[in-house]
Amino acid sequence: MSTEHGALLGPADIRELAAALGVRPTKQRGQNFVIDANTVRRIVRTAEVGPDDVVVEVGPGLGSLTLALLETAAHVTAVEIDDVLAGALPATIEARLPQKAGSFALVHSDAMLVRELPGPAPTALVANLPYNVAVPVLLHMLDTFPTIERTLVMVQAEVADRLAAAPGSKVYGVPSVKANWYADVKRAGSIGRNVFWPAPNVDSGLVSLVRRAEPVKTSASKREVFAVVDAAFAQRRKTLRAALSGWAGSAAAAEAALVAAGVSPQARGEALTVEEFARIAEHKEAGA
């Protein structure tokens, strides 16, 4: 096993571990293992993980990023759905960072079903998220664990662009607005394909989410606001008067809610901030 990067895993280590476990990365689970120690160190640095942080990681795989996080953080809890990978990870930590084994916890579960975590409350979420479930997992974790102040996720570049898009952008949509409900979101870098095994056929991007100091000021619930967002983008080419007619009960009721919220009925969803969607939600007529 290589020692150039100390406890961290290099390409040979990853392939060796995978072969020993009979693991072949699957497209179905969106698995691409990071094989570059410099990349995981960069992710930890960009995430600004410090010695007081309690980090939750989703989809740790063979443990590349987990080890880098453990080198710096006070505690790491990894959530892994795969039976073989979940079974092997504690032994990898024990073998490569024995002094930190007591600061590591494993939750063998689908991240979408996780409602609580062992140990101290998480302060940060850092993960190489499987491409196919990145957005729902990210939103679920932010919603379920309000103590997560900072998040850094590696996702497909296109998803990174969508999450970090501003109103008016062509790629601004449901993920952009919903992520913005919880956090200030920005692109935090790009990751090439050659740091993964197997190399994906798309580039990856880092997205930083810093939880809002103050939640969006609204009397509407998150569920009510998200219902407006979903309706607005379900038919994104239509004006909001038309797109929200089903949500409001009629086009006239949609127009009334929009006017009351100070939003043009002729506007489209991609022009609106999360605060504007919240105002529209507040003006839905009772009984509609």
Side-chain angles (χ1 to χ4, degrees):
M1 295 214 168
S2 67
T3 54
E4 186 197 341
H5 288 283
L8 302 192
L9 299 169
D13 302 320
I14 292 282
R15 289 195 172 84
E16 207 177 291
L17 260 175
L21 297 170
V23 166
R24 297 208 61 73
T26 72
K27 266 213 167 66
Q28 174 205 348
R29 291 215 166 127
Q31 288 168 333
N32 296 92
F33 300 131
V34 183
I35 55 172
D36 179 60
N38 290 322
T39 298
V40 291
R41 285 235 169 96
R42 176 185 157 202
I43 291 169
V44 174
R45 213 168 43 242
T46 308
E48 296 179 6
V49 171
D52 297 331
D53 275 312
V54 176
V55 181
V56 56
E57 181 191 7
V58 175
L62 291 164
S64 311
L65 179 57
T66 320
L67 288 163
L69 287 166
L70 273 169
E71 281 188 333
T72 309
H75 190 277
V76 176
T77 299
V79 180
E80 177 58 67
I81 188 172
D82 186 285
D83 296 346
V84 175
L85 295 172
L89 192 55
T92 302
I93 306 299
E94 188 63 61
R96 301 190 73 100
L97 266 184
Q99 70 278 24
K100 281 301 196 85
S103 306
F104 172 73
L106 176 80
V107 176
H108 180 194
S109 172
D110 178 342
M112 291 298 289
L113 303 178
V114 171
R115 294 259 171 263
E116 54 185 17
L117 294 167
T123 59
L125 165 65
V126 183
N128 167 21
L129 289 178
Y131 284 175
N132 46 357
V133 293
V135 172
V137 165
L138 173 63
L139 296 176
H140 168 73
M141 295 300 285
L142 289 173
D143 195 54
T144 308
F145 301 104
T147 57
I148 293 173
E149 295 159 13
R150 299 183 323 286
T151 294
L152 188 80
V153 290
M154 178 156 57
V155 292
Q156 196 172 332
E158 185 192 334
V159 176
D161 290 339
R162 258 187 266 154
L163 282 166
S169 153
K170 275 196 176 67
V171 293
Y172 182 76
V174 173
S176 333
V177 185
K178 290 184 178 177
N180 214 245
W181 170 265
Y182 300 104
D184 295 317
V185 190
K186 66 178 202 312
R187 275 293 297 255
S190 298
I191 303 279
R193 305 173 188 197
N194 58 343
V195 304
F196 295 98
W197 173 67
N201 51 9
V202 289
D203 292 321
S204 298
L206 296 174
V207 183
S208 155
L209 301 96
V210 177
R211 193 177 290 272
R212 287 169 169 264
E214 296 284 322
V216 176
K217 286 184 171 55
T218 178
S219 58
S221 68
K222 183 201 71 167
R223 192 175 54 81
E224 289 165 337
V225 176
F226 283 14
V228 183
V229 176
D230 289 334
F233 287 103
Q235 308 173 56
R236 64 184 296 151
R237 294 188 184 284
K238 293 193 173 180
T239 64
L240 286 169
R241 183 184 191 275
L244 297 181
S245 59
W247 163 82
S250 69
E255 178 156 355
L258 287 158
V259 170
V263 175
S264 164
Q266 299 311 306
R268 288 182 169 75
E270 64 206 44
L272 269 57
T273 63
V274 67
E275 287 82 5
E276 287 170 313
F277 280 114
R279 285 211 305 276
I280 297 166
E282 289 170 11
H283 290 287
K284 184 177 186 180
E285 288 178 14

